[in-house]
Amino acid sequence: MTNSENDHNHLYRNKMILGPMVRIGTLPMRILALQYGADLVYTDEIIDFKLIKSKRYVNDALGTIDFVDDDGVVVFRTCSLEKDRVILQIGTNDPDRAVIAAQMVEDDVAGIDINMGCPKSFSIKGGMGAALLRKPDLVQNIIRSLKAKIRKPISCKIRVFDSLDSTLNLLKLIEEAGANAIAIHGRTIDERPRHPNRNDYIRAAAYTLNIPVIANGDSCRINNYEDMKIFQEKTRASSVMVSRSAMKNCSIFDPSNMIKDVDDVIKEYLKLAIRYDNTTGNTKYCILQMLGNMQEYGIGKLVAGARDLKTISDIYEINDYYENICNSRNLYKQISIIPTSI
Ligand code: FNR
């Protein structure tokens, strides 16, 4: 193995990781996770087509890099704070498209991940996500193509099969094709959160593979950093990836086990949403997930009814922060977004 392959694998060793979550894993949540102590953060899944159709802009007003489609929708927003720690997850079923999408972002991210675990019908019908698990040749082609053309580390995120042998066979094919790490959600396509996570499958994978294994799927038992270490120990995995527990309270990444009150976490999140001009819809969605059962009541109803970030900042009494950010942004008389070559 070359030095650079070693470095690529090393990126995923002994890390606490924010897992990919559609609509949740946008820039403010990723930065929040890093601030609390996460080592790596995955983006929400971005479909290759969408990325390919977007253009890269340097957004000086926000200090971000934006990938924006023809309708002005930001497909992916990132910034220098996360550059060495953000893994962009692509939804794909085609090696060439995967490469084009990855080439567009490779200078702005730490690594590229391929979603091979999403069981949603949108993914399966499109031959993406968990549909790939049944197409080992295509999986290898995608990984090999990415490894040949992309300078950054390449990882995959999979679900397990009912059979441990079949699971290990697929994992070996993924390793053989050159992947630098594999995140394993210990459930089959048909299993739901109420089914136990197959931690023994993850442990078997960790024993079998040489590349780092990232254990995922045990959020029900993860309430703080110590629980993540227990999950790591139980599975003997190199690293741990947490999704749902982090969505509910991102301070679980704090290595000192200091879990913050959800209200405080929401305020920190909201400041980042304002700072990075996150859309109102996405900000509301994330806050409501953090509020959980509380979203039906009081503050939850207010957030659900809010029409803009200013209103939400009023609800959480951080209007001064909101005004300051708006004023500093106005210093850019013309908020000029300058297209750059890719
Ligand atoms: C997910 N998950 C997911 N997985 C993935 O590979 N790409 C994605 O975009 C998403 N999106 C997503 C959204 C939401 C709201 C949830 C709750 C989950 C699956 C997720 O990353 C993880 O594999 C599972 O939730 C199991 O891990 P936890 O939650 O037990 O830590």
Side-chain angles (χ1 to χ4, degrees):
M1 192 184 295
T2 63
N3 280 346
S4 95
E5 278 308 290
N6 251 333
D7 289 348
H8 282 184
N9 294 359
H10 190 70
L11 177 72
Y12 305 91
R13 286 200 198 284
N14 202 19
K15 300 281 160 47
M16 296 302 168
I17 303 173
L18 174 72
M21 282 180 281
V22 165
R23 293 194 76 188
I24 299 292
T26 46
L27 182 60
M29 188 65 85
R30 299 197 303 267
I31 299 294
L32 187 67
L34 291 173
Q35 282 179 0
Y36 282 129
D39 301 304
L40 290 178
V41 288
Y42 277 53
T43 67
D44 47 345
E45 178 191 50
I46 302 178
I47 306 297
D48 54 9
F49 277 118
K50 279 196 182 174
L51 207 49
I52 290 168
K53 279 204 231 145
S54 69
K55 286 199 181 71
R56 180 185 187 276
Y57 295 91
V58 176
N59 186 333
D60 285 324
L62 296 178
T64 57
I65 304 290
D66 296 348
F67 291 82
V68 184
D69 71 14
D70 288 343
D71 298 326
V73 175
V74 177
V75 176
F76 174 49
R77 171 166 286 164
T78 184
C79 66
S80 57
L81 279 180
E82 65 171 4
K83 191 174 178 205
D84 300 329
R85 297 178 287 173
V86 64
I87 310 293
L88 183 128
Q89 189 187 64
I90 299 179
T92 189
N93 63 7
D94 180 81
D96 295 336
R97 272 204 320 276
V99 167
I100 297 170
Q103 278 171 335
M104 290 178 64
V105 296
E106 73 173 317
D107 289 336
D108 298 307
V109 300
I112 301 287
D113 184 76
I114 302 301
N115 184 348
M116 299 186 179
C118 181
K120 297 264 162 67
S121 67
F122 165 80
S123 285
I124 302 282
K125 279 184 195 150
M128 298 179 289
L132 290 174
L133 297 176
R134 300 272 172 214
K135 296 181 183 165
D137 289 346
L138 179 56
V139 164
Q140 285 204 313
N141 276 340
I142 292 174
I143 297 168
R144 288 203 170 110
S145 300
L146 287 167
K147 289 298 298 176
K149 303 266 172 60
I150 303 297
R151 298 179 307 275
K152 293 286 169 73
I154 305 297
S155 60
C156 306
K157 178 166 175 282
I158 70 151
R159 280 180 176 245
V160 298
F161 292 123
D162 198 35
S163 145
L164 175 59
D165 283 347
S166 305
T167 307
L168 293 178
N169 284 341
L170 177 72
L171 290 169
K172 282 188 235 164
L173 289 177
I174 292 175
E175 180 174 66
E176 188 190 291
N180 297 106
I182 306 180
I184 306 175
H185 178 183
R187 292 188 181 83
T188 66
I189 300 178
D190 300 319
E191 286 174 336
R192 295 290 158 262
R194 67 175 182 280
H195 297 107
N197 203 49
R198 301 183 190 215
N199 291 343
D200 50 333
Y201 283 38
I202 301 177
R203 193 168 51 237
Y207 276 124
T208 306
L209 301 180
N210 294 312
I211 57 172
V213 164
I214 303 167
N216 173 241
D218 225 14
S219 258
C220 322
R221 274 190 282 240
I222 294 177
N223 296 309
N224 56 31
Y225 189 85
E226 204 180 320
D227 293 339
M228 290 188 220
K229 294 301 270 184
I230 292 170
F231 185 35
Q232 187 180 27
E233 183 63 27
K234 227 189 288 180
T235 55
R236 300 282 195 274
S238 195
S239 295
V240 164
M241 171 185 279
V242 185
S243 299
R244 287 164 300 152
S245 292
M247 169 179 79
K248 289 177 198 150
N249 188 329
C250 213
S251 71
I252 56 162
F253 285 110
D254 188 333
S256 66
N257 280 315
M258 290 287 290
I259 294 301
K260 287 203 163 174
D261 192 81
V262 170
D263 259 7
D264 294 332
V265 179
I266 292 176
K267 273 185 201 163
E268 293 303 319
Y269 169 81
L270 183 55
K271 283 183 182 172
L272 291 166
I274 294 167
R275 159 75 184 81
Y276 290 111
D277 200 20
N278 203 40
T279 65
T280 306
N282 185 253
T283 305
K284 276 165 62 168
Y285 180 77
C286 291
I287 293 177
L288 291 173
Q289 300 314 304
M290 289 186 239
L291 284 170
N293 297 336
M294 295 295 292
Q295 59 180 275
E296 307 293 332
Y297 310 100
I299 209 160
K301 279 193 163 172
L302 290 175
V303 172
R307 292 185 166 215
D308 47 35
L309 293 185
K310 182 180 182 328
T311 311
I312 310 178
S313 75
D314 287 342
I315 296 169
Y316 280 95
E317 297 175 356
I318 57 163
N319 5 28
D320 287 352
Y321 181 86
Y322 179 87
E323 299 300 338
N324 282 341
I325 292 287
C326 288
N327 290 339
S328 65
R329 225 173 268 156
N330 284 340
L331 289 177
Y332 290 86
K333 290 226 165 62
Q334 290 171 316
I335 298 178
S336 59
I337 296 181
I338 308 158
T340 59
S341 57
I342 291 156

